[in-house]
Amino acid sequence: MASTPTFVLFPLLLVLPFLASLGLVGADTASTETMCMSTPYPSVCRSNLPSNETGDIYHYGRFFMSKSFSRARLFLALVDKYLARQDSLAISVVRALEDCRFLASLNLDFLLSSFQPINATSSILSILKAEDVQTLLSAILTNQMTCLDGLQSTASAWSGKNDLSVPLANDTKLNSVSLALVVRGWVPQNKKGNGGAGAGQPKSRQLPFQNGRMSFTMSSRTRGIYESVTRRTLLQLSNDNSVLVSDIVVVSQDGTGNFTTINAAVASAPNNTNGTDGYFLIYVTAGIYEEYVSIAKNKVYLMMIGDGINQTVITGNRSVADGWTTFNSATFAVVAPNFVAVNITFQNTAGPAKSQAVAVRSGADLSVFYSCSFEAYQDTLYTHSMRQFYRECDVYGTVDFIFGNAAVVFQNCNLYPRLPLSGQSNMITAQGRTDVNQNTGTSIHNCTLRAADDLASSNTSVQTYLGRPWKQYSRTVYMQSFMDSLINPAGWQIWSGDFALSTLYYAEYNNTGPGSNTTNRVTWPGYHVINATDAANFTVSSFLLGDAWLPQTGVPYTGGLI
């Protein structure tokens, strides 16, 4: 997603209140009290506005976006100040600070990108633009909470924790106010698509895959590059319904490709390419790659294809028990938009005794994983933020093994609870929505929930639940999925006491199998058995607006309910 250069937006952000005073805002005004009461934190809203302030929703929204940007810059400078003295800090503190710096830098980008359409109009945005803005502002809050969680985990190792966590907590509330005002002023009330309910046949995309392989359109030069480095029949070339590829490189451990490591191949990808140029394709041949791969924000439109599950394996063993944060324990991490992975196994082999140990962390907007496997124990797959789609994937884990705060749909996937430590229960999901205005949640559609081999063959009694509320507005929906008998009849588990039980949104629709009976499910205020109309809101076409971006990936999907 392109962003306006900093030198253009900086002055604009600083003079917004002045522009408003000249009357460059809408006609419908409201008092500070009235406007602030529509936000989650009225007192924070009031305290950040000049006394006797009046204006319309667009004035208030831009004012708080400007305020959020200024505070984000100050927080990043504060993190840098502490990192400059990292020689005196414990390694766990340094790693938490490094996470915060990385996330704070992303937030500056996100604020700039989201401000551009907000500043361009004092009216409702188009559905797609509104979705982009709400996604970015939702991710900003997620990034701040991730940093805050990391800082809080260092309490015993660092007396200066509150010097950062206190202003960060205040900034998070400020951004929550910004999000609320933007949603009220710029986001269409009914911004989602039909999703299939009452809309005839559900949309489906299947054509680019033939016999399990992808068809590509390539220039003659690119085809020549491919043919010169390998004779494998990875590509079934076609002129119709194909995926556009700009370049191909091959990773092979035996030296017959362009690179012997995945990281070297990623480094060779061009920066900030345009989607009209096609994907930069990295073909990773069969092998076990002991690498920690991080795909930076500028490596956009990158596609990575392996030789298949259990053939191309990317593996690591970082864990919280060994001093890493959950965020940076990931074997494979990606934040670059429009990323696609196909036919790859991602592992974290730290084991169940090492607590949180992530196989994949994704904060990549409009990203796709197709026919991939994710294998670990606690916290296997970190669907951290932005918009994501998983199709025909296998996910193995124990405690909270699909967690995070993305807007994500799992479709036609297999979810395999494993054998945990003695005394532990399995929680398939731990969704992390912290704000009622975030457009995030986990949708599990037409998937299969079945015990992994180690759990199925054990003689121990392990309780397995559909999920538990990691954060206040946790949102998870299971639709048209098969649930085997391992699912506890209550379905869902608490996090702590009555935390979030009235503010979460957990729902089930038309699931099958012995574990799908809702008769003895929890009776929390936030739990629902829903109908087709409500379920349609969590389909690919509605929840992700997937019809606008999934076709170019070539990955098959069903847009609505089946």
Side-chain angles (χ1 to χ4, degrees):
M1 185 181 299
S3 61
T4 301
T6 304
F7 64 84
V8 174
L9 276 178
F10 251 164
L12 189 58
L13 286 163
L14 296 174
V15 301
L16 278 174
F18 173 69
L19 292 177
S21 70
L22 297 179
L24 300 180
V25 295
D28 296 328
T29 61
S31 68
T32 298
E33 182 67 24
T34 300
M35 197 66 69
C36 288
M37 285 305 295
S38 69
T39 73
Y41 299 100
S43 62
V44 172
C45 177
R46 288 190 296 268
S47 66
N48 280 280
L49 284 169
S51 60
N52 301 317
E53 183 80 5
T54 60
D56 66 2
I57 187 67
Y58 304 105
H59 163 65
Y60 282 96
R62 293 184 182 115
F63 178 90
F64 276 96
M65 288 281 286
S66 173
K67 195 90 170 177
S68 293
F69 186 84
S70 298
R71 295 273 279 268
R73 291 180 62 216
L74 290 173
F75 182 75
L76 180 58
L78 187 59
V79 173
D80 283 338
K81 173 185 172 183
Y82 279 98
L83 279 173
R85 306 198 301 258
Q86 63 180 271
D87 289 345
S88 62
L89 300 174
I91 186 62
S92 61
V93 175
V94 172
R95 287 172 175 162
L97 288 171
E98 288 172 343
D99 289 352
C100 288
R101 197 200 188 285
F102 176 79
L103 294 163
S105 177
L106 286 178
N107 279 356
L108 286 177
D109 293 342
F110 293 169
L111 282 163
L112 289 172
S113 295
S114 57
F115 185 80
Q116 184 176 353
I118 292 302
N119 185 62
T121 183
S122 293
S123 62
I124 298 295
L125 293 170
S126 69
I127 289 174
L128 292 178
K129 284 186 178 179
E131 185 77 351
D132 289 343
V133 170
Q134 193 174 3
T135 295
L136 289 167
L137 297 182
S138 296
I140 288 167
L141 286 173
T142 302
N143 289 344
Q144 289 179 312
M145 290 304 301
T146 303
C147 171
L148 190 60
D149 286 345
L151 291 174
Q152 290 174 341
S153 71
T154 67
S156 62
W158 183 36
S159 60
K161 172 185 72 74
N162 287 340
D163 295 343
L164 285 172
S165 60
V166 171
L168 178 59
N170 292 333
D171 292 354
T172 300
K173 293 177 181 178
L174 184 69
N175 279 310
S176 185
V177 171
S178 296
L179 174 59
L181 295 175
V182 168
V183 167
R184 178 174 169 183
W186 283 270
V187 176
Q189 188 173 7
N190 183 21
K191 72 180 171 63
K192 301 300 186 183
N194 279 325
Q201 293 297 316
K203 298 174 182 178
S204 181
R205 176 77 176 181
Q206 304 251 7
L207 293 174
F209 287 83
Q210 301 167 357
N211 299 321
R213 298 185 182 279
M214 299 182 75
S215 62
F216 293 87
T217 295
M218 299 190 300
S219 67
S220 58
R221 181 183 71 85
T222 302
R223 187 180 295 111
I225 291 172
Y226 173 73
E227 292 173 348
S228 70
V229 297
T230 179
R231 292 184 176 274
R232 295 178 184 269
T233 59
L234 170 71
L235 306 180
Q236 302 293 317
L237 300 179
S238 168
N239 291 323
D240 300 316
N241 302 308
S242 52
V243 177
L244 185 63
V245 172
S246 61
D247 246 338
I248 299 174
V249 296
V250 177
V251 179
S252 182
Q253 291 175 322
D254 63 9
T256 59
N258 304 88
F259 303 98
T260 58
T261 68
I262 297 169
N263 278 302
V266 171
S268 75
N271 296 332
N272 299 314
T273 57
N274 192 306
T276 57
D277 297 329
Y279 288 94
F280 183 86
L281 173 60
I282 299 175
Y283 169 40
V284 187
T285 63
I288 298 175
Y289 295 82
E290 296 182 3
E291 299 186 53
Y292 294 97
V293 180
S294 181
I295 300 179
K297 63 184 181 182
N298 58 352
K299 301 296 183 179
V300 298
Y301 288 99
L302 191 151
M303 179 177 286
M304 187 176 294
I305 301 180
D307 269 332
I309 290 175
N310 296 329
Q311 298 301 308
T312 297
V313 180
I314 305 173
T315 187
N317 62 1
R318 290 175 177 170
S319 68
V320 168
D322 287 334
W324 300 91
T325 63
T326 301
F327 187 81
N328 61 33
S329 70
T331 301
F332 188 97
V334 55
V335 294
N338 301 96
F339 173 77
V340 180
V342 184
N343 293 343
I344 299 173
T345 290
F346 303 92
Q347 292 180 339
N348 189 314
T349 61
K354 291 296 184 76
S355 300
Q356 298 93 333
V358 176
V360 167
R361 185 195 81 235
S362 177
D365 198 23
L366 308 178
S367 59
V368 179
F369 290 82
Y370 173 57
S371 188
C372 290
S373 183
F374 308 86
E375 302 173 4
Y377 288 87
Q378 183 171 351
D379 289 5
T380 301
L381 178 54
Y382 198 173
T383 56
H384 181 263
S385 55
M386 311 300 272
R387 293 165 286 191
Q388 307 177 26
F389 179 58
Y390 295 75
R391 170 83 179 199
E392 295 171 34
C393 290
D394 300 333
V395 191
Y396 296 81
T398 55
V399 180
D400 306 335
F401 67 89
I402 298 173
F403 75 113
N405 195 26
V408 56
V409 175
F410 291 85
Q411 190 172 84
N412 296 22
C413 293
N414 298 306
L415 310 183
Y416 291 116
R418 305 176 83 169
L419 183 65
L421 292 176
S422 177
Q424 282 186 334
S425 297
N426 288 330
M427 270 68 66
I428 295 174
T429 65
Q431 207 282 326
R433 186 165 171 253
T434 60
D435 190 289
V436 70
N437 289 302
Q438 288 178 310
N439 61 348
T440 55
T442 298
S443 174
I444 296 173
H445 184 208
N446 195 32
C447 293
T448 297
L449 285 58
R450 184 173 281 127
D453 289 344
D454 60 348
L455 180 58
S457 62
S458 71
N459 293 321
T460 58
S461 177
V462 175
Q463 301 301 311
T464 297
Y465 298 91
L466 300 174
R468 61 174 178 165
W470 181 27
K471 300 294 183 181
Q472 189 77 46
Y473 293 94
S474 183
R475 181 160 64 175
T476 304
V477 179
Y478 285 82
M479 311 186 300
Q480 300 177 314
S481 293
F482 175 84
M483 301 178 179
D484 214 343
S485 57
L486 78 162
I487 302 301
N488 185 287
W492 306 83
Q493 178 63 290
I494 64 169
W495 184 270
S496 177
D498 63 357
F499 170 73
L501 301 188
S502 61
T503 52
L504 59 80
Y505 183 88
Y506 286 167
E508 298 181 54
Y509 168 71
N510 203 24
N511 298 300
T512 60
S516 67
N517 190 326
T518 59
T519 302
N520 295 311
R521 288 294 197 251
V522 295
T523 57
W524 307 336
Y527 170 73
H528 310 275
V529 177
I530 57 177
N531 59 26
T533 300
D534 292 332
N537 293 322
F538 299 96
T539 58
V540 169
S541 294
S542 291
F543 197 51
L544 300 180
L545 300 184
D547 299 324
W549 58 277
L550 278 173
Q552 70 174 327
T553 71
V555 172
Y557 72 94
T558 299
L561 299 170
I562 58 174

